[in-house]
Amino acid sequence: MRPFFIFRDPLKGTLKAAQIVKPKESLEIQQLETPKPRGSQILIKVNSAGVCHSDIHLWEGGYEGPNGQFLKTTDRGVKYPLTPGHEIAGTVESMGEEAGGFNKNDKVIVYPWIGEGLCPACRIGLENLCDKPRSLGVYTNGGYADYVLVPSYKYLVKLDEEVDLDASAALSCSALTAYGAVRNADLKPNDNLLVVGAGGLGLMAIQLAKRVTGARIIAIDLDDEKLDIAKKNGADDIVNSKKYDPVKTVLELTDRMGVDAIIDFVNASKTVETDMQMVRKRARIVLVGLFGGELKLNLVTMPTRAYRLIGSYTGSISEMAELVSLAKRGVIKPVISERFKLDQATEALSKLKNGKITGRGVINP
Amino acid sequence: MRPFFIFRDPLKGTLKAAQIVKPKESLEIQQLETPKPRGSQILIKVNSAGVCHSDIHLWEGGYEGPNGQFLKTTDRGVKYPLTPGHEIAGTVESMGEEAGGFNKNDKVIVYPWIGEGLCPACRIGLENLCDKPRSLGVYTNGGYADYVLVPSYKYLVKLDEEVDLDASAALSCSALTAYGAVRNADLKPNDNLLVVGAGGLGLMAIQLAKRVTGARIIAIDLDDEKLDIAKKNGADDIVNSKKYDPVKTVLELTDRMGVDAIIDFVNASKTVETDMQMVRKRARIVLVGLFGGELKLNLVTMPTRAYRLIGSYTGSISEMAELVSLAKRGVIKPVISERFKLDQATEALSKLKNGKITGRGVINP
Amino acid sequence: MRPFFIFRDPLKGTLKAAQIVKPKESLEIQQLETPKPRGSQILIKVNSAGVCHSDIHLWEGGYEGPNGQFLKTTDRGVKYPLTPGHEIAGTVESMGEEAGGFNKNDKVIVYPWIGEGLCPACRIGLENLCDKPRSLGVYTNGGYADYVLVPSYKYLVKLDEEVDLDASAALSCSALTAYGAVRNADLKPNDNLLVVGAGGLGLMAIQLAKRVTGARIIAIDLDDEKLDIAKKNGADDIVNSKKYDPVKTVLELTDRMGVDAIIDFVNASKTVETDMQMVRKRARIVLVGLFGGELKLNLVTMPTRAYRLIGSYTGSISEMAELVSLAKRGVIKPVISERFKLDQATEALSKLKNGKITGRGVINP
Amino acid sequence: MRPFFIFRDPLKGTLKAAQIVKPKESLEIQQLETPKPRGSQILIKVNSAGVCHSDIHLWEGGYEGPNGQFLKTTDRGVKYPLTPGHEIAGTVESMGEEAGGFNKNDKVIVYPWIGEGLCPACRIGLENLCDKPRSLGVYTNGGYADYVLVPSYKYLVKLDEEVDLDASAALSCSALTAYGAVRNADLKPNDNLLVVGAGGLGLMAIQLAKRVTGARIIAIDLDDEKLDIAKKNGADDIVNSKKYDPVKTVLELTDRMGVDAIIDFVNASKTVETDMQMVRKRARIVLVGLFGGELKLNLVTMPTRAYRLIGSYTGSISEMAELVSLAKRGVIKPVISERFKLDQATEALSKLKNGKITGRGVINP
């Protein structure tokens, strides 16, 4: 069977990219051939490429699995050298002959969670959950470059002329993941929602839950500073789980009923174990984080308490378009804290790995 | 605060009931005062009371929990002496002054999963998932008796004159549990559904999935005879997991993709562990059985594979009314295999416990 | 068949009510027997009874139908003398022996859209859409009285001690109708919503759509003052249809695509005709107002443009509980503009009829 | 802005097509250049092209509108000469360099309801409801030809080797339209569904509603023969509206409540007027047919009876894939009654126009 999306070998050329040539080594600036878009492909001039935690996994060549084993990215189909970068905002540079809907220099963000197009998920617009994903910056070259080739103009969402591209880049991954999780929590205005982890994703989830669901929001974290920001972003209540017993505190805040939904942006053994002790009957426990580990799940409580454990992974292009609309009207506000040049890509990843970027870092090639 | 549903002390009277006076001892036939329905209450003359596995837990005073500990029913609010029996079909005997909608002698089945009425679940008609359940035959006296008091006429669904009451009784628990699970599996016609356990509930789930979803159904069990019946009831494929490797076989049957949904009527450590090895991305794993045990859940696969673990407990009164409609038109066919008199209640429970009732046993008081 | 909810004949007694004895005549203050709650009934001491447009229809004995004919309320099952008043907030006075969940003096609002309890709508908690409605203040005596009898404690939602009862009363009808309509519009954050009519219901719909959907909101009205308030309540854009061509303006505001959804709080021939000219493919046109008249609907555009015309009538008790939660946290703010004594009931209705109450009038018996 | 899907001018070549060169004139067999698929395009060798009523509108250059005016297809963007044919089944002939997922000679059906890809409908997989449709055989050359160019491999659904291509062709339009309507009717097993018109679409809707919803089905038509077939296909009750008063009969069949949902495959003034007289509160009236005319809609009944009028137009590619799965397992059975050669295209359209094809006609180029 014919494979999908063959990208020609990158030869020496005019496209400048920061590539992972070998895991764990510094990224190298490469001169690659600038691809010429064919068919419905479109070439984007990258203005902003977000630096995301999952880029670190690509850089390290894998991540730690449940039993301390190292899960290699190459076993999941990743190939090196690779240009990382899946949070991409920029302008339209050129278009294949079957592409349309855009003009040169239009500001756009790119939906990177591209699927094969034929599985049941893709058929309903959930390419992020495709059986055979082709994500940009993961399985194909991404946005740590001055240009990126997108397989179809359909993966673009147009931005207004006055929009800040750096802030917009975050909409395609961190904000989208937060939004997908909020949607999966299936909230009503009289629900109590617990957001576990008040980092970048948690804060965005709080903003979104506040504005599009009306639910009451409790944020939990170990860091008072983050919790203060959570409160300013819309959390009704905050709990420092270092200082207070989280289970006791959350039960007190909810008339001893427990919360109706949890979004866990950590998703580690310890957080989910705690989650399961403070949920009401019918609770939705939305698992988002990639920290991993094992949960010893008491099976009989699943039916008797009608719990739902819901894995949530990024979001759909329709949801990304909804975020673009919310950001345009100032309803949500992604925060960019640091900017890097392309040749600072290794530094950007190191800083993120060492917890030295508080908001979102962006590379401006 | 005023408690709900105070039933006066049962005094010596004309109502004949088979009660669990003390856990593990033979049920005793008691002469209780026949309650006079007040307000919107309604008194039902019991024709058929299904004998259900969960009655055995009430009889034994508890069940085994995750770590071999014994979980007592009295710790969950059950009080003895208790008349069990939550699958009740009969006729209207008399009505409180605020009750209506029925005439004396109308054939009815009773919805036993009664809630307090004020929690968010009750407010949307999901009394089966109430925070403070008042289920008939569990927390209040049930149908192992010639009469049963129902708190409101609203918990009745009218049956046609020609309907078989014995078969109808099963609609309020075993068929309802199967139907609730099928609904929670959220099936489309091009989904592959795996039904784990081809006993009474599994067979009903197969009948229902066949007729109201159009999905392709694979049934798995250890028993060839049950699997044959499963095939006759609508299973497209059957797998004997004693003879064949279930994971390998199911993957072969689904082009190596795995199934889109599983309904697990066992819900034991071993079955669910196996379940998790044969599911497609986005799979719904619906956990119904009360066998229990622990699952070591790999947390990181929840978001990356977008799985959903869904606890499913009985069903709503609206769903019970839907089953009544399906049974009336012959679309589903509950099977009754054995009938008992009221004074054979202990025998009925013993037989069920020892696996000697293949379909559904019914007590005819 | 036994009828529902027989209320004993009101005899001379201690309950003081403002009743419509004969349509079109002044309401009379009657001394009625105070009902003693039986079964699950509950007696509420009324603190606040909202004055609603639909009370005027009851007072006038009917309303004008499609062809100028007068549709009598008595033909729809209304019986006089009648105590109107379906927006009721107060305190628990006494309870029937099967009632529970509340204490004397608890602050509550009453859900008035009571159904028979047996139809498919009631079975899923949509008693407002019951086939045989028994609404309080319409088919049975309502809140223009110092006490009102409620058929079950289940129709109450508890309020916090510090809550303003006058403002809370509005949640059970005007706010609920607005909320039901917003839910029926099925909005996403990148939808354009048009709210037709910026009166009390329109303003509440704007507040709600802003806070629980994230959609962009355009408000349309003939009155600049109302439109100013709409803007302050969250409308992104406002259109005075007296000064500007509504169709042209709305198309300009939506890149000539038309809006994704309309909530029409007028629902007259003229407004809906205009609605149909400014809707995008797939639009939901939610019809709420009771102005009436005929629409000449072009049938072929229904499939070709995939329109949905959705009739929306009040809301469910679950939705009312959601509103209570939103109001408690200050997310929505019902506005009460005028207060009346019980013996001013006729005056209150007259003022409302003549458009002299801008917000919501409330009777404090 | 760059337009979409530019197809090069058809020059004299090797592709043989039956084209409408001028409305109302006989179709002409043309020799066109066989397009070479580029990008993600795919060239299909047509085996079967269904002959559909909407092809007649293309042939006649328009259709009659609400006030007797003639609505021209050219005003809606149709351009002549045009190769009609949107129900296409065939085999993969060749693929553009970005296409994949298929092998040469794979049996496929084509999803013809192609959208631009950027509107909110397209973003969630509802290209059939795109703001700027590019449907095959309507806006671009279709299947009345030996080859047809499809803009992307994503618009194909693979068929099994043993499948009958003639029967499969119907899945992409007539069966899909029936299925979309059944889905829009939002049916439960205890709903009463009325199917208006027992022609090809009605019969398919009956088959589908029977197998995937469990609802009780009443079919109405003027023709006893069709009604007999309806009964054999799953209708629980049939009504000949020529012989019996449809309103009276349907009310009798539904305990005087009316039906919960109607699917109207005629959608003419007269049928919809009748529909509105036999619906229960909360009814969904799904309008599918393109007969047209005006309905005088009583606006006030929309909210008071909570009706929903739902325009339904074809279906999504996901729904088409579901139909392929149902047809493969024999759950539904599309019927082909007559086969034509390519040079009989005019004859096929004439026969269909004159009501001389009872099932589905298919052209085999």
Side-chain angles (χ1 to χ4, degrees), chain C residues 65-79:
Chain C
N67 306 312
Q69 80 208 98
F70 189 75
L71 300 172
K72 285 174 142 189
T73 50
T74 48
D75 291 342
R76 289 170 50 219
V78 174
K79 276 170 194 142

Side-chain angles (χ1 to χ4, degrees), chain B residues 179 183 188-190 210-216 236 318 321-322 325-326 329, chain D residues 179 183 188-190 210-216 236 318 321-322 325-326 329:
Chain B
Y179 189 41
R183 283 295 177 217
K188 288 184 172 177
N190 55 346
K210 191 78 182 178
R211 298 311 184 84
V212 306
T213 76
R216 178 219 191 180
D236 296 281
S318 173
E322 294 170 39
S325 173
L326 288 169
R329 285 174 285 138
Chain D
Y179 189 42
R183 284 294 177 219
K188 289 184 171 177
N190 56 346
K210 192 79 182 176
R211 300 309 185 86
V212 305
T213 77
R216 178 219 192 180
D236 296 281
S318 173
E322 295 170 37
S325 173
L326 288 169
R329 285 175 286 140

Side-chain angles (χ1 to χ4, degrees), chain C residues 38-325:
Chain C
R38 296 182 302 187
S40 55
Q41 293 173 344
I42 206 154
L43 187 72
I44 299 301
K45 186 173 190 327
V46 180
N47 183 88
S48 321
V51 182
C52 177
H53 276 93
S54 64
D55 294 340
I56 298 173
H57 295 315
L58 291 169
W59 185 32
E60 298 190 331
Y63 52 91
E64 214 153 317
N67 306 312
Q69 80 208 98
F70 189 75
L71 300 172
K72 285 174 142 189
T73 50
T74 48
D75 291 342
R76 289 170 50 219
V78 174
K79 276 170 194 142
Y80 300 96
L82 172 77
T83 312
H86 52 268
E87 286 192 355
I88 306 166
T91 54
V92 169
E93 182 67 20
S94 60
M95 288 182 272
E97 44 203 353
E98 311 298 335
F102 294 91
N103 290 313
K104 191 176 152 103
N105 296 329
D106 277 354
K107 282 186 168 181
V108 293
I109 63 166
V110 180
Y111 181 76
W113 312 109
I114 294 170
E116 168 203 38
L118 298 173
C119 78
C122 288
R123 300 275 202 208
I124 52 168
L126 300 179
E127 297 204 17
N128 55 313
L129 305 180
C130 175
D131 287 323
K132 300 175 184 169
R134 314 300 310 147
S135 320
L136 281 181
V138 181
Y139 298 104
T140 65
N141 283 335
Y144 286 23
D146 45 9
Y147 293 95
V148 67
L149 185 68
V150 179
S152 169
Y153 64 91
K154 297 185 186 177
Y155 298 114
L156 303 181
V157 173
K158 208 171 187 161
L159 300 173
D160 279 3
E161 203 42 53
E162 67 277 12
V163 146
D164 174 41
L165 287 172
D166 286 349
S168 298
L171 298 177
S172 68
C173 177
S174 62
L176 187 58
T177 298
Y179 189 42
V182 167
R183 283 293 176 220
N184 280 325
D186 193 17
L187 296 161
K188 288 184 172 178
N190 55 347
D191 277 333
N192 288 304
L193 166 68
L194 182 72
V195 174
V196 177
L201 271 77
L203 287 178
M204 185 48 76
I206 290 166
Q207 284 187 31
L208 283 160
K210 192 78 182 178
R211 300 309 185 86
V212 306
T213 75
R216 179 220 191 178
I217 303 161
I218 306 170
I220 200 164
D221 202 292
L222 303 160
D223 181 339
D224 275 334
E225 201 180 330
K226 285 184 181 168
L227 288 169
D228 278 350
I229 302 173
K231 191 124 202 184
K232 279 172 199 144
N233 274 267
D236 296 281
D237 292 278
I238 52 176
V239 179
N240 187 321
S241 57
K242 218 174 181 170
K243 298 183 182 169
Y244 300 94
D245 179 328
V247 176
K248 212 183 135 213
T249 314
V250 167
L251 288 176
E252 269 163 21
L253 285 168
T254 55
D255 294 332
R256 313 215 60 76
M257 297 306 300
V259 293
D260 301 277
I262 292 181
I263 304 177
D264 192 327
F265 288 107
V266 182
N267 190 23
S269 303
K270 211 189 143 185
T271 59
V272 187
E273 259 166 44
T274 309
D275 294 347
M276 300 307 291
Q277 297 170 54
M278 44 195 187
V279 278
R280 190 175 194 167
K281 252 189 177 181
R282 296 206 299 145
R284 290 79 67 194
I285 300 110
V286 181
L287 304 174
V288 187
L290 301 173
F291 192 97
E294 258 180 20
L295 173 73
K296 287 179 188 165
L297 180 66
N298 178 348
L299 285 169
V300 93
T301 60
M302 290 296 294
T304 57
R305 305 263 313 156
Y307 291 144
R308 297 190 165 225
L309 266 64
I310 300 168
S312 188
Y313 179 74
T314 71
S316 69
I317 191 165
S318 174
E319 288 168 336
M320 191 179 84
E322 296 170 37
L323 290 175
V324 167
S325 173

Side-chain angles (χ1 to χ4, degrees), chain A residues 179 183 187-191 209-217 236 318 321-323 325-326 329 331, chain C residues 179 183 187-191 209-217 236 318 321-323 325-326 329 331:
Chain A
Y179 189 42
R183 283 292 176 220
L187 297 161
K188 286 184 173 179
N190 55 347
D191 278 332
K210 191 79 182 178
R211 300 310 186 83
V212 307
T213 76
R216 179 220 191 180
I217 302 160
D236 295 281
S318 174
E322 295 170 38
L323 290 176
S325 173
L326 288 169
R329 286 174 285 139
V331 179
Chain C
Y179 189 42
R183 283 293 176 220
L187 296 161
K188 288 184 172 178
N190 55 347
D191 277 333
K210 192 78 182 178
R211 300 309 185 86
V212 306
T213 75
R216 179 220 191 178
I217 303 161
D236 296 281
S318 174
E322 296 170 37
L323 290 175
S325 173
L326 288 170
R329 287 175 283 140
V331 179

